[in-house]
Amino acid sequence: MSQDSNNKNLEKNFKLMAMSAVILLILFVYTIYKSGTHIVGNSYYIGIGFLFILLFLALYLKIKQEKVKAFFNRNKKNKETSAFDNELTKSKATISNEDLNSNIQAVTSNVTFKDVAGINEIKEELEEVVDFLNNPKKYLEQGVKLPKGVLLVGPPGVGKTLIARAVAGEADVPFFYQSGASFVQIYVGMGAKRVRELFAKAKQSAPAIIFIDEIDAVGKARSGKSNDERESTLNELLTQMDGFDGDSGVIVIAATNKIEVLDDALLRAGRFDRRVHVGLPNINDRKKILELYLTGKNHEINIERLVNETAGFSSATLATLINEALLNMIKNNKRILNNDDILIAKNKLEFGKKQLKILDNRQKEILSIYQASKAFISKTKVALFDESVQKLNSTYPSYAELCENIRRDLAGFIGVEVIEKEKYAINHEDLESASKTAHDIVNKYKMANSVEELLTDIKNNLRSELSQNSQEINRLKNIMIKNEVITKDDI
């Protein structure tokens, strides 16, 4: 309605302008006609020329009035949509010149989601962030503010940095990359200064993405016993994250593989309040990743077979595998990549990097029984390389809920023992978690008398339940071997 009113006012002004020019021109000509003998000089003729120009301009604007209206409407729209930009400008105005005078520079990411395979679930989580950076007005009109921080959690090599670059590439915004170690300085105050400079640069370039890799290097839980450089840097990071709103156009993405060591203040609502877990790729993910890496390469590789042989490989390891195979192909003056090249590259990875979980068929079967048992007891989705299972997380847990969490931790060990008739050392962290919960039940909450008795009772109950359902465990094991994941629908 406001736009229609502006258009009517504009049209009315055109008419008044044209009428004024015509009337003035008639009066001027009449004056010259009556007093022509007294006219001296060229001033009258300059005046009449000006009136002709005014009349011509009015007629021209009348003819082009649609374009003029569009121009004014566009300006009005720009003013209406500039609320977001005004907030950014105000934010930039508060930034000190000292913080801007740093060597921290943004990069433009040319990576998009199509360049990262096997992240469909993660992509859905991050599409909101991309859409907010591209269309902030849609959210701001509804008073919606996106999380200030997104924490990517997962083991090394699963592509956390690549995912962050893909978000920046999809949103087409500046990407500020810093590692957590870059904030750890020898001199007091330098780490905090670098944090201020990073956020100042990002606010100046907003909308933008700040990515802090390996944030655990600077974000470890504070001890409270000292005020060292790392803690002052962490305090500055917390302050900076509190210093901008969800509509500031700056979103912080961080990555870690040790979320348990992070300070609680970083994980509270209003900071890194959205967590995205990035796990090792399952069988379908690996197929997509290998197909992506082999696109445009001349090869005679059986991808289906290779997918089954690379259980436990991260996306980075798969990239290295293909790259090493290509190097071997070039070394032997070949033009087609084949399975021999892959075998040589795989041997290099297997014997050169002991930390990789490269499983043979027997090892994969044992791990599948372990995870299938946890899936059966917890009735939740479990992947082959999940390091833990979903727990009950109650503010005021009952005795039954605490015991259920112990059951979920111990289910894998007992399941393998029941099916294989032998104990296997698989994941010590599950044992430690079960033991800690049992100690809390006995020593902190005083719900039981003995840790050993409690754990023994739970183990015996698990043996009985899993023995009675051994066929179901084997069925889930086969699903895990085939798909490397058991969903709720499979249970």
Side-chain angles (χ1 to χ4, degrees), residues 293-467:
Y293 290 151
L294 290 170
T295 300
K297 310 288 193 302
N298 292 324
H299 70 88
E300 296 175 345
I301 295 172
N302 186 334
I303 294 180
E304 295 290 342
R305 177 183 167 189
L306 182 58
V307 165
N308 288 310
E309 292 177 348
T310 52
F313 279 47
S314 66
S315 54
T317 311
L318 290 171
T320 304
L321 175 69
I322 299 301
N323 191 64
E324 287 287 347
L326 288 169
L327 288 173
N328 188 73
M329 178 193 75
I330 295 171
K331 179 181 177 181
N332 291 286
N333 297 315
K334 297 190 298 185
R335 294 191 174 275
I336 299 177
L337 190 68
N338 58 30
N339 290 321
D340 291 337
D341 300 311
I342 293 292
L343 180 61
I344 292 171
K346 192 176 176 186
N347 287 334
K348 284 185 179 180
L349 289 174
E350 186 171 0
F351 296 109
K353 297 184 178 181
K354 293 182 180 179
Q355 72 270 24
L356 295 177
K357 296 179 182 177
I358 300 177
L359 308 180
D360 58 29
N361 290 336
R362 178 57 180 161
Q363 292 170 330
K364 187 174 181 179
E365 183 180 12
I366 295 297
L367 184 57
S368 294
I369 296 171
Y370 184 90
Q371 298 293 61
S373 301
K374 292 203 292 185
F376 175 78
I377 293 297
S378 67
K379 302 295 188 287
T380 61
K381 175 184 174 182
V382 178
L384 183 64
F385 294 104
D386 279 350
E387 294 183 354
S388 183
V389 69
Q390 185 177 331
K391 306 285 184 60
L392 300 178
N393 188 15
S394 176
T395 304
Y396 304 109
S398 66
Y399 174 77
E401 288 173 331
L402 292 170
C403 289
E404 175 60 25
N405 284 339
I406 295 176
R407 279 165 47 84
R408 295 184 180 195
D409 282 327
L410 297 178
F413 289 97
I414 303 301
V416 172
E417 181 183 332
V418 166
I419 301 298
E420 294 296 320
K421 312 299 182 187
E422 187 177 355
K423 294 180 180 180
Y424 282 81
I426 299 176
N427 186 355
H428 66 89
E429 291 180 356
D430 282 343
L431 286 175
E432 291 170 359
S433 176
S435 179
K436 180 181 182 303
T437 305
H439 275 87
D440 287 344
I441 290 174
V442 173
N443 300 316
K444 185 185 289 186
Y445 304 120
K446 311 298 182 184
M447 294 178 174
N449 295 322
S450 168
V451 173
E452 292 302 322
E453 286 182 11
L454 178 63
L455 291 174
T456 299
D457 288 343
I458 292 175
K459 288 178 181 178
N460 289 335
N461 288 333
L462 280 171
R463 284 192 187 94
S464 175
E465 183 176 354
L466 293 172
S467 296

